[in-house]
Amino acid sequence: MTTQQMETQRLPQGREPVLRVVPMPSDANYLGDIFGGWIMAQVDIAGSIPAMRRARGRVATVAVNSFVFKQPVFVGDLVSLYAEVVRVGRTSITVDVQVYAQRNPAEEECVKVTEATLTYVAVDEKRRPRVVPPESP
């Protein structure tokens, strides 16, 4: 990879991650690269958090609108996931998720590793779609 591809970035200023996790060796292939499916699962969890808050209850993932792996994630990286609601429909909530990896504590670098957009639907106790309530004041 070129230096430009591995350009160190900063975590989003003024925002808290909805999820932080450190991948373990069981989450990686034999070369130490974290499985894409593991990252996808973390993104789905992170995206569901603001969706559940906005829906004030249970949600189900109905679509992965986009998913881009920009850089690899390695065992021991501190992975921070940022998620925000970008659209609310009648029963659906669309969330953007950005994922950063902080690595090399001696000379810390921060790399944006993944970005995704997912759509969730608010569901009732029988797991049927329900209307998203109005936003709280």
Side-chain angles (χ1 to χ4, degrees), residues 63-75:
V64 176
N65 307 58
S66 67
F67 209 106
V68 179
F69 294 102
K70 300 172 88 52
Q71 298 290 333
V73 175
F74 306 117
V75 171

Side-chain angles (χ1 to χ4, degrees), residues 68-135:
V68 179
F69 294 102
K70 300 172 88 52
Q71 298 290 333
V73 175
F74 306 117
V75 171
D77 283 352
L78 174 58
V79 180
S80 299
L81 297 97
Y82 295 81
E84 68 177 322
V85 172
V86 294
R87 183 185 167 283
V88 177
R90 190 168 109 48
T91 62
S92 66
I93 300 167
T94 302
V95 178
D96 279 345
V97 181
Q98 296 180 18
V99 185
Y100 294 83
Q102 291 168 275
R103 53 180 63 130
N104 190 14
E107 293 181 39
E108 187 174 289
E109 62 180 307
C110 179
V111 180
K112 187 174 190 180
V113 294
T114 304
E115 55 190 23
T117 304
L118 299 91
T119 300
Y120 301 85
V121 66
V123 294
D124 63 18
E125 63 281 345
K126 294 181 182 174
R127 294 184 173 86
R128 290 186 302 219
R130 65 175 172 84
V131 175
V132 175
E135 198 163 9

